[in-house]
Amino acid sequence: MTSPALSLDARVLVRSGLVLWLVAGFATVWEVLAMQGPDSPLRVGIVVGPIAQLRSFAFALGAVCFAAAWLWPSLYAPGKGRIALGALVVGSSLHVATLLYAASPRMVAVQAFDPRPDAPLLFIARAVSHALFLVALGAVTTQAFKLR
């Protein structure tokens, strides 16, 4: 059996989903190492919460990319919907990058008013990534309701 070729937009979404799931897999291993007891030689000595958030978001965003790839040909003609596609891919990449940085050993958590010099920039990056998701979701939802 052969399957029809995926459109370029769907291939971008599938590849993004695979990369996000790969990040989630690495974050799972990192989380297990972070949960080791203090006497374990495998302990990495990092707070588990931000790593778990990275794992969860990367997995969920990967699933969103796969669902979007499946629905994309039904919603958009070939070459259309590039703004929504860009917002989804850039938003998910930016969000996972900020979560990866937030899970790093020197940046445990991020708050709006944090005295560390790089925390406000990280907070703004997360806010921008959420805004990009809203743009993508709004564009896709509007397109879905335009279809008859």
Side-chain angles (χ1 to χ4, degrees):
M1 283 204 251
T2 60
S3 62
L6 291 174
S7 68
L8 175 64
D9 300 335
R11 283 195 311 263
V12 167
L13 288 167
V14 167
R15 289 175 182 157
S16 296
L18 289 172
V19 169
L20 288 166
W21 278 355
L22 185 64
V23 169
F26 282 123
T28 301
V29 173
W30 190 13
E31 182 182 13
V32 168
L33 293 175
M35 290 190 312
Q36 298 300 306
D39 296 335
S40 173
L42 299 177
R43 180 170 171 83
V44 293
I46 300 174
V47 177
V48 178
I51 301 169
Q53 191 177 26
L54 169 66
R55 176 198 30 87
S56 298
F57 268 98
F59 186 81
L61 291 173
V64 166
C65 285
F66 275 105
W70 177 60
L71 292 172
W72 208 264
S74 301
L75 295 173
Y76 293 104
K80 301 292 182 185
R82 293 288 167 96
I83 292 174
L85 176 68
L88 183 61
V89 172
V90 171
S92 62
S93 301
L94 180 62
H95 194 74
V96 168
T98 57
L99 288 174
L100 184 63
Y101 185 73
S104 69
R106 55 181 225 99
M107 182 61 87
V108 175
V110 178
Q111 299 176 10
F113 300 104
D114 196 321
R116 294 172 287 189
D118 50 353
L121 183 62
L122 198 58
F123 182 80
I124 290 168
R126 285 189 72 181
V128 168
S129 71
H130 285 290
L132 288 170
F133 289 139
L134 287 175
V135 166
L137 182 60
V140 171
T141 303
T142 302
Q143 184 65 24
F145 279 107
K146 283 183 184 178
L147 299 176
R148 295 173 199 232

